[in-house]
Amino acid sequence: MDNQTKQTVAQIPLLTVKAGPRDGDQWIERLKEEYQALIGYVEINKKADNDWFTIESNPMGTRWQGKCWYIYNFKKYEFDLEFDMPVTYPETAPELAIPELEGKTEKMYRGGKICLTVHFKPLWARNVPHFGIAHALALGLAPWLAAEVPHLVDNGMIKHHEDK
Amino acid sequence: MAQPYREKIDKMSSEVVDSNPYSRLMALKKMGIVNNYEDIKNQSVIIVGLGGIGSVAAEMLTRCGVGKLLLFDYDTVEIANMNRLFFRPDQAGLSKTKAAEQTLQHINPDVSFETYNYNITTIDSFEHFKSRIEKGGIVPDTPVSLVLGCVDNFEARTAINQACLELNRSWMESGVSENAISGHIQFIVPGETACFQCVPPLIVASGIDERTLKREGVCAASLPTTMGIVAGMLIQNTLKYLLKFGEVSYLLGYNALLDYFPKDNIKPNPECSNSICVKQQKAYQEYLKSLPPPVAVVQEPQTKPSTENEWGIELVEDEQPTTATSTKPSNTQFEYTYEKKPTVQVNEETKVKVNESSLEDLMAQLKGLKK
């Protein structure tokens, strides 16, 4: 992880409510923390002129959808992002998925779930319940995009929409 | 589906004729190994995950004449699965549950099946999954005999653990390492043994320096050999548990590079992050206290220090300083997949400040931040 990522992540507020989607009112408290942390993280990104995703959930916070993008060689590559809250959240991290990239990279499981096993899951597990969705994006998805997008572009697996 | 090749058999016979599919199994009775083999017809087993371990495990139980199998998987058969056993190329594209049921039902028409093609970690599926553990037994509305976890990811393992803790049901977990050269099975009894969340997931030490492992590229490798061996270990343990013969293993590993099978027993962690596990531990301690004195002496099996070296294997010196806790594996051939120590510190400054806004306000606020 580079220093800038480390610094950014250090600024994302930590969560304290240990509750999952089956925990009723406690889950609502957790969701508020999730949203507050996400708002904080987006603001940090905007300030650093490094906005790179949008995200929103259904009213119960069980299903999340949004977009994420990565700039490579001055071109912006944008993807749809989605995930379900697992019943065991926050003990287990959400399984972030970019379905449109399924079959294009080896670092992906079925359904377009990005491979987080090595670089992110152990880190998540050590910090339960303090990491939230914002951390999953910053520490899981961002490094994955940074590694995979250039690779996908260079190998002709994805094309910028203007080059199609 | 193909015509059944034989009629259903009501009562297992030990008659030795070529046409009896159970003669070699019932011979276990004659030899005094299993005294009640036909009891297997009264057993029901849930298998979660029909990959390289689960599909083979299902075939073994089918051939053994288990009463009922409940199969869970949300994946389809792919040509990339052909390096493992069980599925055939002509089944590519079918759901794994349907493909498995087809094959298995043909092999043994006596087994009854339930199949579910969904991901147990999502909210709705999880509740249904739980209800099948509780009510999917051979007699309707009774629990299944055993749950087998044959999944390939932490989320699903944690979900099975959660369901079995909530329902106080025993289960067996299994797995093969990402590099395909080791595997393990673990028998989990709520409150009595460590649950899946008591300690970080255990893997069999590979003997390879982790830093030299090439981690780039593919997410996981697999071998039919390692998976077949682990499936065999899992179902052997299952048969011993269901039919009450031999000694059921609590934690059994397989190191393919050294051909070593370490065995251990992990105590539950009183500070387990799962509060239901802690509750079950207390209930188990109460149960032990309630037993009459002579039996009460039979405490939880002690974790055996690895002084008795049955296989004459020399252990490689472990350079990590070992902090002695009761929940740590006594066998250095098992290691944790990650450290437990947090990397962040929560204090007033770092902690999220939730103001008076309602959830709806916060949702709107985040939406408003979009350009």
Side-chain angles (χ1 to χ4, degrees), chain B residues 298-312:
Chain B
V298 186
Q299 289 258 320
E300 171 115 355
Q302 292 286 312
T303 37
K304 262 190 244 161
S306 52
T307 46
E308 57 175 76
N309 193 348
E310 276 181 70
W311 292 280

Side-chain angles (χ1 to χ4, degrees), chain A residues 14 18 46 87 115 126-127, chain B residues 219 273 341 343 350 352 369:
Chain A
L14 297 171
K18 190 182 166 189
K46 285 195 182 276
V87 274
C115 180
R126 291 175 70 162
N127 294 300
Chain B
C219 256
S273 66
K341 204 167 156 260
T343 61
T350 57
V352 68
L369 283 173

Side-chain angles (χ1 to χ4, degrees), chain A residues 14 18 21-22 35-36 46 55-56 86-87 91 106-107 110 113 115 117 121 125-127 130, chain B residues 74-75 121 123 127 155 166 197 218-219 273 338-339 341-344 346 350 352-353 367 369-370:
Chain A
L14 297 171
K18 190 182 166 189
R22 294 162 74 230
Y35 267 94
Q36 199 78 63
K46 285 195 182 276
I55 191 87
E56 60 183 282
V87 274
E91 192 72 30
E106 289 173 314
K107 293 188 195 174
R110 61 204 158 228
K113 290 173 181 172
C115 180
T117 315
K121 286 190 183 170
R126 291 175 70 162
N127 294 300
H130 306 309
Chain B
Y74 67 96
D75 219 353
T121 70
I123 315 270
E127 292 306 328
E155 292 74 23
E166 287 179 18
Q197 288 164 268
V218 283
C219 256
S273 66
Y338 56 81
E339 282 285 317
K341 204 167 156 260
T343 61
V344 294
V346 184
T350 57
V352 68
K353 279 133 201 114
K367 230 177 198 172
L369 283 173
K370 281 193 209 170

Side-chain angles (χ1 to χ4, degrees), chain A residues 45-155:
Chain A
N45 288 339
K46 285 195 182 276
K47 220 178 271 175
D49 201 20
N50 182 32
D51 208 18
W52 67 274
F53 70 88
T54 62
I55 191 87
E56 60 183 282
S57 73
N58 63 359
M60 282 314 290
T62 52
R63 178 146 188 84
W64 293 70
Q65 279 169 313
K67 290 193 186 297
C68 58
W69 54 90
Y70 187 80
I71 314 276
Y72 179 58
N73 284 345
F74 309 107
K75 283 177 179 163
K76 180 179 169 183
Y77 297 86
E78 189 176 273
F79 313 99
D80 286 333
L81 166 70
E82 61 175 53
F83 56 93
D84 286 305
M85 270 298 155
V87 274
T88 46
Y89 191 83
E91 192 72 30
T92 62
E95 296 184 279
L96 310 175
I98 305 178
E100 65 196 271
L101 293 182
E102 187 174 8
K104 294 185 189 233
T105 159
E106 289 173 314
K107 293 188 195 174
M108 191 166 251
Y109 295 111
R110 61 204 158 228
K113 290 173 181 172
I114 68 169
C115 180
L116 299 168
T117 315
V118 178
H119 74 278
F120 176 61
K121 286 190 183 170
L123 194 59
W124 178 281
R126 291 175 70 162
N127 294 300
V128 172
H130 306 309
F131 279 5
I133 294 162
H135 297 86
L137 297 174
L139 293 166
L141 182 57
W144 191 90
L145 287 175
E148 286 306 292
V149 174
H151 185 73
L152 286 163
V153 173
D154 292 347
N155 289 319

Side-chain angles (χ1 to χ4, degrees), chain B residues 307-366:
Chain B
T307 46
E308 57 175 76
N309 193 348
E310 276 181 70
W311 292 280
I313 302 279
E314 276 184 51
L315 300 182
V316 183
E317 194 73 36
D318 191 353
E319 285 176 29
Q320 295 288 327
T322 46
T323 44
T325 69
S326 55
T327 52
K328 209 178 142 33
S330 61
N331 196 315
T332 53
Q333 290 290 333
F334 287 106
E335 59 189 29
Y336 294 136
T337 41
Y338 56 81
E339 282 285 317
K340 255 202 146 165
K341 204 167 156 260
T343 61
V344 294
Q345 254 192 329
V346 184
N347 54 42
E348 281 311 309
E349 225 166 86
T350 57
K351 159 176 135 175
V352 68
K353 279 133 201 114
V354 178
N355 52 32
E356 295 300 299
S357 320
S358 70
L359 181 57
E360 289 70 24
D361 291 344
L362 291 169
M363 286 178 169
Q365 203 181 329
L366 181 63

